[in-house]
Amino acid sequence: MCIGAPSVLSVTPHTSCDTDDRSKHMRIGILGTGAMATALGTAWVRAGHDVRVGGRDPEAAARTALLTALLTGASQHGTLAAAAAHGDVALLAVPADAAPHLARELAPALVGRTVIDCTVPMAPGADGPALTTGGATSVARLIADAAPGAHVVKAFGVCHESIWTLDRPAFEGAALAVPFCTDRPTAATAVAEIITSVGCTPLPCGGLDRAALLEATAVFAIGVWWSGAEARFAFPAPALAPGAVDD
């Protein structure tokens, strides 16, 4: 993958956000210029985080940066490496098959940083969306192998990007739960703080060896939604059944 000379935007939160006590404010670099990069970037700016967006295509990066910065009006440009090195957290919001390659290119800048992988390895199949990894591994694991100094977390990929356009998303009276997988306690703490900052509930799901389960869950849910059904109706809590007991 050729990185070229991409453009980035640094977003500085409004002064009024400085009193927001929802979470510790963080410096987050976003690598990507698509819908998920825009939605999550905007949500994080709204939560008071200092966000920098980068992309390989300067025009695409500028458009994404502008959308992300609408809350602040701030605009600064730099390199993709600078976005990767922005603060302690980086989000990989690029196509799933490109994410490990990008991680390898930027591995020196990602050493010691929490790297959030929100990708979904999916392609059309005869019976609906299918995992491109075959379920034998995960994109998150491939990213960790490509950038061994990074602290990789699988998170934010289960929900459609439209959910992140909501302020503090909640459904049926409960805050949205955001599942994540990581082997690194410090990364788990950072991601939990980011999740909490946007009004959601952190849902730890184990180590990075379980990231493939989150990717498969996302692909399953997308297939159900595309069919016109609701994935949530397939997962009622056992406690909702009359006379339910633990077994």
Side-chain angles (χ1 to χ4, degrees):
M1 175 180 295
C2 178
I3 293 180
S7 172
V8 294
L9 167 74
S10 180
V11 178
T12 302
H14 279 305
T15 302
S16 60
C17 289
D18 292 343
T19 59
D20 188 335
D21 63 357
R22 283 180 284 185
S23 176
K24 174 184 174 183
H25 296 163
M26 298 185 187
R27 291 163 60 89
I28 306 173
I30 295 181
L31 311 178
T33 58
M36 185 64 89
T38 301
L40 282 173
T42 302
W44 293 342
V45 168
R46 186 166 55 227
H49 299 295
D50 179 356
V51 175
R52 177 171 290 188
V53 181
R56 290 172 295 159
D57 180 341
E59 292 186 2
R63 287 193 300 270
T64 303
L66 176 62
L67 290 172
T68 304
L70 287 179
L71 293 176
T72 65
S75 59
Q76 294 181 4
H77 293 78
T79 66
L80 186 55
H86 185 68
D88 297 323
V89 179
L91 171 73
L92 274 172
V94 297
D97 59 350
H101 302 289
L102 182 57
R104 183 174 293 107
E105 293 278 356
L106 296 173
L110 298 176
V111 171
R113 303 185 191 284
T114 294
V115 176
I116 301 173
D117 166 30
C118 69
T119 67
V120 179
M122 182 183 71
D127 297 319
L131 279 167
T132 57
T133 59
T137 187
S138 67
V139 176
R141 174 57 65 192
L142 296 175
I143 291 170
D145 292 343
H151 301 173
V152 179
V153 184
K154 189 75 185 187
F156 293 102
V158 173
C159 289
H160 188 269
E161 63 264 15
S162 61
I163 297 301
W164 303 115
T165 67
L166 303 175
D167 186 14
R168 304 176 72 83
F171 304 91
E172 298 180 0
L176 176 69
V178 181
F180 66 90
C181 294
T182 184
D183 295 331
R184 304 279 191 157
T186 55
T189 298
V191 169
E193 289 176 347
I194 292 171
I195 291 169
T196 301
S197 76
V198 295
C200 298
T201 301
L203 181 59
C205 293
L208 209 60
D209 59 334
R210 296 178 64 81
L213 297 177
L214 288 188
E215 294 177 354
T217 299
V219 172
F220 167 77
I222 290 168
V224 172
W225 294 329
W226 282 1
S227 74
E230 283 283 356
R232 63 192 177 95
F233 294 152
F235 301 101
L240 296 178
V245 295
D246 290 337
D247 58 2

